[in-house]
Amino acid sequence: MKRLSLIFTQTANSSGRATNPTIPLGCRTNPPGAASGFTTQGVTVETAQPHAGVHIENVSKSFGPDGARTLVLNQVSLSIKMGEFVSVIGPSGCGKSTLLKTVAGLIDADSGTVMVDGMTVKAATKNKMIGLVPQSPALLPWRTVLDNVRLPMTVNPKANANRNLRDPREILESFGLGAALDKYPGQLSGGMQQRVAIARAFVFDPSVLLMDEPFSALDEMNRDAQRLGLLDFWQSNRKAVMFVTHSVPEAIMLSDRIVVMGAHPGHIAEIIDVPLPRPRTIDVYATDEFRDLEGQVRGTLREVMGQKSA
Amino acid sequence: MSTTDTSALAVQAATSATGRRFSPLASAKFKQNLRWSNWAPAVITFVIAAALWQITAIANPYVIPTIDQVWVSLINDADTYWANMLVTGLEVLVGASSGIIAGFILAIIMAEFQVMERAVMPLVVVVMVTPIVAIAPALVVAFGFGMTPKFIVTALVVFFPMLVNSLAGLRDVDDRALDVMKTLHASRWEIFRDLRFTGSMPYVFAGLRIALPLAIVGAAVAEFVAAGQQAGLGSLVTIAAAQANLPVTWASITLLCFMGVVLISLLALVRKRVLWWSDGAAVGR
């Protein structure tokens, strides 16, 4: 618990970057040695900081019956540092959701390691350090909006000690849901429901947020509003974010880096930096940099898809 | 099937339950329920059925009684019918509630421990494919002509649909909500408390809707085979039929039917209160 409190009090720190050197392309250069040293599982208070964020190393996963197993993830390595927003994009079947579920502790990798703030995923979930926003809001229809957001606090209360729990009312108000506190999910629009789901993931102050295409079910105009809302909130509550998406503009708009994955088997094809200044507004879409990046990401995606058919 | 079959009770429930939470919609919904196109078709069907019955009864006086003969019997012997209905009602109440509770509890155990399903389900299926009509006389031999065999038969009949439906409901949780719970390291108890229990209710109510009418069947069958015991509407039916007393036979049948309607209406009322959050169309209608 002591270790936890130290991790939670630290802020986004650019010197704490620990990008994995096995990432082949498009990666920013690191100070040498930054990536070494997180091979041990027991992390002490002193070394916690460089381990902040998510570290995925050589993760492989296959599904299916023995003899006919399909490799879904092949030696995937990726690091997301504290306060960094990373999108994962790729064609269907590239294993991006599987990767997210592996980090969430919902799927066990066949080989490789996943560490969250220097802890195994299991220990991280035990300490409630991972916030998950699933593809559908997955709210409990019999609970009010407020009680839905309270849910993570009442579950696994042992992990509540020494943490900076947020006021659910306050967080919902900042999400523009102040008038909906006592409503039921069935009375809200899809966009509002998804915002409640995001509030539910933020409320217990996890260090890592995992989002699995949270806006994919919304219409385009609504989606833009939700993206900006998310960015706005994240700007003042920097978490390590892994954001799985199908949308190129969405990935560029939100991210510091975009991980392009290829399929058969799922692998990281390229990691593209998004050097657009923050805070970002809707005007970003109109900039040349945005268009260049969009061309770059789409080009990489085309390449990835081409490999598949070749 | 929504409100037309459950009469005014359901209409009342709909307005009070929704009125509490979605007040602007309540009065509109109430008006909608009162629209003649909602209730008139069912009423017309009943009137036609009654007319056909009456014509047939007048033409065949030794096959079925006329409606007014049944009515006269009900009025004249109201005390007898009431006493017998109380007996059958008690059997249904005790038998059904124990069967419901047992079925739900076993479903929880099976949902939480798959081994238990593998261990116990085959036995449950074996018992359930055995015709209840065949088990009933054996139970009378074992437990005598008192209430016990009737409770057991009723509970047995109710048990299976409750078990199967509750089990399906406890298993059918929103996978994504379950994912959220798992990343929070929710304990099994917390997942049950926050997700499975309430989430299973649409299925539980679907099970109840099958089970409650069956409970009346169970009680009546148990009374049929427990010859000599002159209590309960089921006994009344067999005795009156043996004497070819058509009005009494059909008056008893009518009361059994009435009990079923009351049970189903009560269920619809409770369902509206408990399952206001559930899509009416989804399950359990």
Side-chain angles (χ1 to χ4, degrees), chain B residues 30-44:
Chain B
F30 187 68
K31 273 179 198 156
Q32 206 176 22
N33 282 329
L34 284 184
R35 265 216 309 264
W36 69 270
S37 59
N38 265 325
W39 52 264
V43 170
I44 291 167

Side-chain angles (χ1 to χ4, degrees), chain A residues 139-148 179-189 192-193 196, chain B residues 20-22 276-277:
Chain A
L139 304 173
L140 307 184
W142 55 86
R143 282 183 175 230
T144 62
V145 164
L146 189 60
D147 285 341
N148 263 290
L181 294 178
D182 297 320
K183 289 195 174 164
Y184 288 86
Q187 293 169 281
L188 304 184
S189 70
M192 286 166 98
Q193 288 186 23
V196 177
Chain B
R20 199 148 32 102
R21 290 178 178 91
F22 314 111
W276 54 268
W277 51 268

Side-chain angles (χ1 to χ4, degrees), chain A residues 200-244:
Chain A
R200 178 181 60 187
F202 264 105
V203 73
F204 60 104
D205 199 38
S207 34
V208 174
L209 269 180
L210 305 174
M211 305 198 186
D212 192 0
E213 303 183 37
F215 305 141
S216 58
L218 307 178
D219 62 79
E220 184 60 28
M221 278 169 306
N222 203 338
R223 230 180 286 175
D224 253 331
Q226 302 302 330
R227 285 169 192 158
L228 287 169
L230 172 65
L231 265 192
D232 201 42
F233 191 80
W234 174 77
Q235 203 72 39
S236 46
N237 303 271
R238 290 286 198 121
K239 308 281 174 200
V241 180
M242 180 174 175
F243 190 98
V244 171

Side-chain angles (χ1 to χ4, degrees), chain A residues 61-118:
Chain A
K61 177 73 192 173
S62 52
F63 287 115
D66 286 338
R69 293 182 79 82
T70 352
L71 194 57
V72 179
L73 289 176
N74 186 23
Q75 299 286 317
V76 172
S77 296
L78 172 70
S79 285
I80 303 168
K81 58 183 200 287
M82 199 66 186
E84 189 184 27
F85 202 122
V86 172
S87 287
V88 180
I89 196 167
S92 327
C94 71
K96 51 192 190 305
S97 282
T98 307
L99 186 63
L100 183 125
K101 284 188 172 170
T102 311
V103 180
L106 301 169
I107 292 177
D108 287 327
D110 294 341
S111 63
T113 52
V114 180
M115 305 290 270
V116 174
D117 279 2

Side-chain angles (χ1 to χ4, degrees), chain A residues 104 106 125-126 128 132 135-136 138 140-143 151 155-157 184 187 200 204, chain B residues 21-22 174 176-177 179-186 190 193-195 198-199 276-277:
Chain A
L106 301 169
T125 54
K126 217 171 238 168
K128 287 208 281 194
L132 176 69
Q135 212 166 350
S136 64
L140 307 184
W142 55 86
R143 282 183 175 230
L151 180 79
V155 164
N156 186 9
Y184 288 86
Q187 293 169 281
R200 178 181 60 187
F204 60 104
Chain B
R21 290 178 178 91
F22 314 111
D174 183 340
R176 280 156 183 169
D179 284 352
V180 170
M181 294 292 273
K182 281 182 180 163
T183 55
L184 295 166
H185 206 264
E190 286 167 331
R193 179 194 67 191
D194 292 337
L195 213 58
T198 317
W276 54 268
W277 51 268

